[in-house]
Amino acid sequence: MPKSTVFAGPPAPVLPGAKPTPIPGMTPIVSELFGYGLYVLVIAGGCAVGYGVLKLATADKSRSGGGGSEPFKWMGGGVLSILIASVLISILNGIAA
């Protein structure tokens, strides 16, 4: 077993291709802010899903506790925001291409 591993090249980006494409008809700064805002929405959706999983893992699962659907609301909202932002990103990339 090797004692150390050497990686060739720079590390992979966290968001591949995260440079937003310019949207025709918008000023460059508004277009860029809107594009980055969509990527931030995807990250926030991922965080919401993770928080929902954490709440589900640590929830009081007794029948008298109530509020058992709250983790699923977090996870569903996170998945929905990821889907909506992903669709908008792909639509904008298709329009701007």
Side-chain angles (χ1 to χ4, degrees):
M1 194 172 227
K3 292 183 180 181
S4 65
T5 305
V6 177
F7 295 104
V14 175
L15 293 173
K19 181 73 176 151
T21 53
I23 302 168
M26 293 180 86
T27 60
I29 188 72
V30 172
S31 174
E32 190 169 343
L33 285 176
F34 187 72
Y36 281 125
L38 290 174
Y39 284 110
V40 169
L41 187 61
V42 170
I43 292 172
C47 292
V49 170
Y51 185 66
V53 169
L54 176 72
K55 285 186 76 68
L56 183 63
T58 60
D60 179 20
K61 296 181 179 62
S62 66
R63 292 178 183 252
S64 62
S69 66
E70 185 184 2
F72 297 104
K73 292 177 187 176
W74 278 97
M75 290 186 281
V79 168
L80 187 64
S81 70
I82 290 172
L83 287 175
I84 290 174
S86 300
V87 165
L88 287 174
I89 288 171
S90 36
I91 288 172
L92 288 175
N93 285 340
I95 291 172

